[in-house]
Amino acid sequence: MLKTALRNLLAHKARQIMTLLAVCLGVAFVSGTLVFADSTAEAHRAAASKSFADIAVSVTAKEPPPGAAAHQQTSALDDALARKLAAVPGVAAVRPSVDGSAALNAADGTPLRVNPMANQAAGYLPGKGGKDSRYPLVEGRAPKNSSELAVDSGTAAAGSFRLGAKVTLATDGPVMTKRLVGIVTTEDTRVTAGGTLALFDKATAQKLFASPGHYSSIDLSAAPGTDQSELSDRVTAVLPADRAEATTGEAQAAQQTIFVDSQTRGYEKLPLVFAGVSLFIGSFLIINTFTMLVSRRTREIALLRAIGATRRQVSRSVLLEALLVGLVASAAGFLLGLGIASVLPDILSTDGNALPQGPLVIGPRPVVAALGVGVGVTVLAAWLPSRRAAKVAPIEAMRTTEQPPSAKRSRIRGVAGLALLVLGAGVLVSLSGAKDASEKNLQNAMVGCALLIAALIVLAPILASPMIRLTGRLTGRFGVTGHLAQQNALRDPRRTAATAATLLISTALVAGLAVIGNSTGQALDRQATAGLGADYVISSPPMTGVDPAAVRRVADTSGVRTASAVTDSTLFTGGSVREISGVDPQTVHDVMKLDFVSGSAKDLGPGRIAVSRTLARKNGVTTGGHLNVTLGRNQEFRKYTVVGVYEDNPVAHDALGARTEVAHDSYLPGSVQRILVRTDGGVVSKTTEDRLRTAVGNSPLLKVQDREQFVHEAAGTMGELLTLMYGMLAIGIVISALGIMNTLAMSVAERTREIGALRAIGMDRSGIRRMIRLEAVTVAAFGTLLGLAGGLFGAWAVGSLANGAMPQYSLALPWGTLLLVCLLSLAIGALAAAVPARRAAALSPLEAVAEA
């Protein structure tokens, strides 16, 4: 039986190629993603280890305890402590540093990076020889005074900076302008992963990020043979226990690696999703392929049974064949995966997050995963066909035609399919009135969608006949060839359904995601604009703020009608943390679209707040009632009078208060987080935006967005969903094309004599090709229609849950996308039939009719 399995594999190797390609694609995504993850992690570790190679112990300041004395408020890290640490046994050298954060404007005046965590800054502290070994100079010189600056080469390239140019930057206060005098390199992974680096002279850095004469940290290198842990204990013994602490260089490198990994870990998920989709869809191709092979070899299997082969031996021979296919596919997929892993860093790198480059790391995990996934999926998918092969009776060797499925089996399939359909639809319908996007409801919705798709797959052979007869009205317009194509598709409903299953799944996934994505995107647009009356929003990063003086400058800008400052803070109700917006009651209605259910914003003042409908409902308060809350940094609960209840508004947040009171208790007292700007006549232009940027000092810390940009940012996650959607569509189309091509190729081989007879009675080559193509289009249309039905129904049910979390949500069908999916499915059916159609047309009538 082993020889038989090998002979069958070699004899039908052309028919196994499509199966091998489908498995290969899934294995490539899995192994490639794992190799990419291991390689990226190793690159992070290598860069971090190199950055901390000379650091044995790092000393940093502790946060002063509440109510600490005045001398404890000042950092203990100064030159005196540095000299003291230099005397510790085992310390070879002491290197102080001053670190912070600074955002820069590019040469064209636009902010260089929008991620505050990526904007690094430090002091250039020369050591022996007048150079700082952490930042080797590649051009120019080090900054020597407060008017000079150096940046790393990546920042210089991204910002189009040249030596001698004026660079605009900000730390956490006013905008500064400095002259670029030097360009350096760095091994800091936060910078090499897409961040920026600004270097100041020692005095300036201390003034900005610590205090004059003090440092952010003091790094110590160890004498040869000194253990880092032992040195850390010695250093800790001489530190002021309540004001400084010591950390080994190894621990710091590990922490930095974890930080960078956390910034890029999400990039691994998308390829793994694609891998799962491709393997899931590909499994149906495998089942179909082996089912057709078993069907074609029915007489051969029956003869084996007649001469003594047991059912177990027959089943094992089919599984062995699948095992061999899986091994070949795993090996090919792993090699393709290495190619995917090598290009993923370039594909997934962005301006703000550039992935580190390094050699590919091939560990045991991707190798085991490639074998396990490739072989496992193939063998599991071949299990059902192997059971069918084992049930072939010796008497089958005497039959010349394939027996149709028994009525009993069809009834069982129908009952099982209807049960799954009722169960899946019932789960989804029961959730349609929930309007609660809780984790439990979302999980139930996913289960319901999975049951629905499973029901459609089980019922597909039963639904194939009526649906294909319906579509036959279109193919019938092509005359005899169209009628024959319809009959060929109806000849074996099980085969047609199995072939269409790949398109059914991919179409359902894409259609469902397209509807949800389009509906959510439009809802986010409506949500972002529903509460925004302003034409521009000027905002600052968390824990910073807009210069209050800038509010007056913005208000005095030409073309500005209203400039309303907003202070954002926290509101603790005892059960949850909410957000409160401090506003000017006189101008808030000009910049926010507030729909008050009761009360008004004009009554805001000390001790008086307005709350959203959701917050009011959760706390059981109405206008005129009272609410005990803590505001911002104030730790004491106070009783506030509720002067109004408004419809939920993302611009206003959960509550509104008078800005004077909210700003007083804010974590940044007196700060402004947003300026909402209303222009004369609602004018939005590049000139107006430039004027507003000038009014806020061209600070790179601030974002100046018009209404469209604000809405686009609010709906930014939809871009990831669309990427996922089109990626799955591409995978589904590729595997569906392989499945249709494989099925038609086998079908042509089975119908060799039939095609020869058609050629003998006068059908020309073009007619044969047209017949095969129309058959492929018919199968593709069947799978697409079923997939659309399942995807749209699932999107409707899941969308009802989103309506609870997003009142603006309503089902919005993306007609263009759905039409594109249909056209692509039909086109891929026609293209997949090209090779089988050409092979069928090339058959010689005499040889075909004479074939036994």
Side-chain angles (χ1 to χ4, degrees):
M1 295 305 295
L2 174 61
K3 291 181 180 179
T4 301
L6 292 173
R7 182 189 62 79
N8 286 331
L9 183 62
L10 294 175
H12 305 104
K13 54 182 179 297
R15 299 170 190 172
Q16 297 283 16
I17 289 178
M18 307 304 172
T19 301
L20 189 146
L21 288 175
V23 179
C24 176
L25 186 61
V27 171
F29 277 117
V30 172
S31 60
T33 301
L34 295 178
V35 171
F36 160 72
D38 292 344
S39 302
T40 303
E42 182 59 32
H44 286 160
R45 284 191 291 270
S49 298
K50 190 173 182 180
S51 179
F52 290 93
D54 297 330
I55 299 176
V57 176
S58 183
V59 178
T60 55
K62 287 184 177 180
E63 289 290 331
H71 74 278
Q72 290 182 305
Q73 300 291 336
T74 304
S75 172
L77 277 59
D78 53 16
D79 289 324
L81 180 61
R83 289 191 294 270
K84 189 175 181 180
L85 293 172
V88 173
V91 173
V94 175
R95 188 172 61 189
S97 62
V98 187
D99 301 309
S101 176
L104 292 79
N105 276 337
D108 61 2
T110 58
L112 189 56
R113 291 286 186 268
V114 296
N115 182 5
M117 300 297 292
N119 300 325
Q120 305 301 315
Y124 188 92
L125 309 182
K128 294 180 180 179
K131 296 182 179 181
D132 191 331
S133 60
R134 293 167 294 188
Y135 310 110
L137 282 161
V138 293
E139 286 187 64
R141 59 175 177 82
K144 295 181 179 179
N145 55 57
S146 60
S147 65
E148 297 178 344
L149 178 77
V151 299
D152 73 290
S153 56
T155 301
S160 301
F161 297 139
R162 295 183 179 180
L163 291 180
K166 295 293 184 179
V167 179
T168 303
L169 69 153
T171 53
D172 59 355
V175 175
M176 301 175 285
T177 300
K178 299 185 182 296
R179 186 167 65 92
L180 184 65
V181 297
I183 297 176
V184 304
T185 60
T186 179
E187 299 294 339
D188 190 333
T189 52
R190 295 170 297 181
V191 179
T192 57
T196 62
L197 174 65
L199 295 175
F200 305 88
D201 67 288
K202 176 180 175 180
T204 302
Q206 289 179 330
K207 181 179 178 181
L208 290 172
F209 308 125
S211 59
H214 294 84
Y215 304 102
S216 303
S217 63
I218 300 177
D219 299 328
L220 311 176
S221 59
T226 304
D227 181 74
Q228 286 192 5
S229 298
E230 293 180 1
L231 183 59
S232 177
D233 293 338
R234 296 175 197 164
V235 169
T236 300
V238 303
L239 294 176
D242 58 341
R243 299 178 63 194
E245 60 184 348
T247 308
T248 64
E250 293 173 350
Q252 279 197 310
Q255 291 173 358
Q256 186 160 320
T257 300
I258 293 172
F259 169 78
V260 179
D261 282 345
S262 68
Q263 300 295 306
T264 56
R265 190 177 297 123
Y267 292 135
E268 302 171 15
K269 297 178 181 178
L270 197 60
L272 284 177
V273 170
F274 290 163
V277 171
S278 62
L279 288 169
F280 180 67
I281 298 176
S283 63
F284 289 90
L285 191 156
I286 299 169
I287 293 173
N288 198 26
T289 300
F290 277 94
T291 299
M292 293 178 69
L293 287 174
V294 168
S295 177
R296 279 186 56 82
R297 301 204 310 255
T298 298
R299 296 183 66 187
E300 175 188 326
I301 294 171
L303 284 173
L304 289 173
R305 291 294 316 283
I307 62 175
T310 65
R311 290 187 174 186
R312 181 174 296 181
Q313 285 178 314
V314 170
S315 177
R316 285 178 178 176
S317 70
V318 176
L319 291 178
L320 179 60
E321 193 173 335
L323 174 65
L324 295 174
V325 171
L327 286 172
V328 175
S330 297
F334 184 78
L335 294 177
L336 181 59
L338 296 181
I340 292 176
S342 64
V343 300
L344 274 178
D346 295 327
I347 294 174
L348 298 178
S349 292
T350 63
D351 290 339
N353 288 298
L355 298 178
Q357 300 289 338
L360 292 180
V361 176
I362 304 174
R365 187 174 64 148
V367 176
V368 172
L371 287 173
V373 168
V375 175
V377 169
T378 309
V379 172
L380 284 176
W383 180 70
L384 284 176
S386 72
R387 290 192 62 192
R388 184 172 299 171
K391 292 179 181 179
V392 174
I395 193 63
E396 298 290 336
M398 306 299 296
R399 292 179 178 152
T400 59
T401 59
E402 182 182 354
Q403 297 300 306
S406 65
K408 180 180 178 182
R409 183 179 298 176
S410 297
R411 285 195 299 270
I412 293 174
R413 176 184 288 273
V415 171
L418 285 174
L420 288 172
L421 183 64
V422 171
L423 185 59
V427 171
L428 293 177
V429 170
S430 67
L431 293 172
S432 63
K435 295 186 181 298
D436 178 13
S438 64
E439 183 177 353
K440 181 179 179 180
N441 280 344
L442 288 174
Q443 290 176 350
N444 290 337
M446 293 177 65
V447 171
C449 289
L451 290 173
L452 182 64
I453 296 300
L456 291 177
I457 293 172
V458 173
L459 290 173
I462 300 174
L463 297 174
S465 295
M467 291 188 67
I468 290 176
R469 286 193 174 91
L470 181 64
T471 58
R473 296 180 180 180
L474 296 177
T475 57
R477 295 179 179 273
F478 292 89
V480 175
T481 55
H483 179 71
L484 289 173
Q486 180 193 30
Q487 293 304 311
N488 288 334
L490 289 171
R491 180 177 299 182
D492 190 341
R494 289 181 303 171
R495 178 185 301 177
T496 299
T499 305
T502 53
L503 267 180
L504 187 159
I505 297 167
S506 58
T507 303
L509 287 172
V510 172
L513 283 175
V515 173
I516 294 173
N518 185 64
S519 303
T520 305
Q522 291 189 17
L524 287 173
D525 290 353
R526 290 191 292 269
Q527 187 183 61
T529 57
L532 183 64
D535 300 303
Y536 283 93
V537 178
I538 302 174
S539 57
S540 66
M543 298 311 294
T544 58
V546 184
D547 182 5
V551 180
R552 174 51 52 191
R553 295 197 299 270
V554 170
D556 294 338
T557 299
S558 175
V560 172
R561 189 178 83 184
T562 306
S564 184
V566 180
T567 296
D568 295 319
S569 188
T570 56
L571 186 78
F572 184 63
T573 64
S576 60
V577 178
R578 301 284 182 165
E579 291 180 282
I580 184 170
S581 299
V583 298
D584 181 355
Q586 304 303 316
T587 61
V588 64
H589 281 286
D590 201 26
V591 293
M592 289 186 188
K593 295 178 181 178
L594 296 170
D595 183 10
F596 272 85
V597 178
S598 59
S600 170
K602 293 181 179 179
D603 296 324
L604 294 174
R608 300 191 298 273
I609 61 174
V611 297
S612 66
R613 181 193 284 269
T614 297
L615 186 59
R617 184 172 59 247
K618 185 168 184 178
N619 289 275
V621 296
T622 58
T623 300
H626 297 87
L627 191 62
N628 289 322
V629 299
T630 63
L631 187 61
R633 59 193 174 93
N634 192 340
Q635 299 297 313
E636 297 181 1
F637 277 91
R638 291 180 55 191
K639 182 181 290 185
Y640 283 81
T641 300
V642 177
V643 298
V645 177
Y646 55 89
E647 295 288 354
D648 289 14
N649 187 315
V651 180
H653 294 154
D654 303 298
L656 290 172
R659 195 179 75 80
T660 52
E661 183 176 23
V662 175
H664 179 270
D665 291 329
S666 169
Y667 288 100
L668 298 172
S671 66
V672 173
Q673 276 67 51
R674 291 180 288 164
I675 306 176
L676 305 182
V677 180
R678 189 77 178 268
T679 62
D680 293 329
V683 175
V684 174
S685 65
K686 183 66 167 61
T687 301
T688 304
E689 181 179 338
D690 292 341
R691 288 174 182 169
L692 293 176
R693 287 193 178 277
T694 301
V696 295
N698 287 318
S699 174
L701 292 172
L702 304 181
K703 288 190 291 187
V704 179
Q705 299 172 298
D706 59 31
R707 184 191 299 266
E708 183 179 347
Q709 292 168 336
F710 180 78
V711 170
H712 179 73
E713 182 179 86
T717 53
M718 286 301 101
E720 297 179 6
L721 182 61
L722 289 175
T723 299
L724 179 66
M725 180 185 73
Y726 290 120
M728 287 194 293
L729 175 61
I731 291 173
I733 282 177
V734 169
I735 297 179
S736 298
L738 295 175
I740 293 173
M741 190 183 301
N742 202 30
T743 301
L744 290 177
M746 291 189 179
S747 180
V748 167
E750 289 179 355
R751 305 202 307 258
T752 299
R753 299 184 65 183
E754 175 187 321
I755 293 171
L758 290 173
R759 292 278 285 117
I761 62 176
M763 183 175 286
D764 58 12
R765 295 179 185 272
S766 62
I768 296 293
R769 287 194 295 268
R770 190 182 308 116
M771 178 185 69
I772 300 297
R773 290 193 182 111
L774 287 174
E775 182 181 349
V777 171
T778 299
V779 174
F782 170 60
T784 301
L785 289 175
L786 275 185
L788 281 175
L792 294 178
F793 186 80
W796 166 78
V798 174
S800 64
L801 299 180
N803 185 260
M806 194 182 304
Q808 293 82 0
Y809 185 95
S810 62
L811 197 67
L813 299 180
W815 294 107
T817 302
L818 296 178
L819 179 60
L820 177 63
V821 170
C822 293
L823 292 177
L824 281 176
S825 297
L826 296 178
I828 205 64
L831 290 174
V835 174
R838 188 165 58 247
R839 181 176 299 173
L843 289 174
S844 169
L846 292 177
E847 293 178 0
V849 173
E851 186 178 274

